[in-house]
Amino acid sequence: AASSRTERFTVNFTMTNLSYSTSLRNPHSAHFIATSRGLSAMLDRVLKNSSISPAYRGCTSNVSSPRAKKDRDSTGVDAICSYRDEPSGPRFDRVAVYHQLRNMTNGFTKLGHYSLSSQSLYVNG
């Protein structure tokens, strides 16, 4: 019998209303931790309503590698998320997840209180 295994996928995007600061480079800073937790919770809410919901396990390592964009006016994010890949479960379809994220975030412009660059969303690519 085939068994399930945990697979990972990345969600990359840019927040246009979060200025990049040196505190976001430090994974132990209060600013980094609060931002990571908040973004993980917001991504969770969206992904739990997507087609991979039954297999979705959450965003592990929360938000990683924030980076300065456009003269530090905005911050890029790489979220590492995971799902359980089971023979009987839904297949992970990055295109479907991409479109669902776009649809559930107003054309990928809003995630909670964050404004997003609509052209910045990548799912596993």
Side-chain angles (χ1 to χ4, degrees):
S3 62
S4 69
R5 63 184 191 277
T6 299
E7 297 287 342
R8 288 190 165 76
F9 65 98
T10 57
V11 178
N12 313 89
F13 56 92
T14 300
M15 296 173 295
T16 57
N17 66 338
L18 178 65
S19 294
Y20 186 79
S21 65
T22 53
S23 62
L24 285 174
R25 228 183 289 154
N26 176 358
H28 305 292
S29 76
H31 188 201
F32 179 94
I33 292 166
T35 302
S36 289
R37 283 190 183 144
L39 283 168
S40 291
M42 288 180 247
L43 278 171
D44 263 3
R45 274 198 291 277
V46 174
L47 291 168
K48 283 179 180 166
N49 287 309
S50 76
S51 60
I52 64 161
S53 178
Y56 176 67
R57 289 293 162 257
C59 290
T60 58
S61 43
N62 294 327
V63 177
S64 63
S65 329
R67 58 203 175 274
K69 296 277 193 171
K70 287 191 213 149
D71 304 321
R72 297 180 168 249
D73 286 346
S74 52
T75 301
V77 174
D78 303 322
I80 302 163
C81 305
S82 60
Y83 66 97
R84 196 169 63 225
D85 185 19
E86 293 188 29
S88 61
R91 303 262 47 84
F92 177 75
D93 179 344
R94 76 184 186 99
V95 174
V97 171
Y98 172 90
H99 287 295
Q100 290 161 13
L101 279 169
R102 285 193 71 83
N103 292 343
M104 291 186 269
T105 55
N106 195 30
F108 208 73
T109 58
K110 290 295 254 184
L111 183 62
H113 58 277
Y114 292 112
S115 297
L116 308 170
S117 169
S118 65
Q119 303 304 307
S120 70
L121 174 64
Y122 293 93
V123 174
N124 256 9

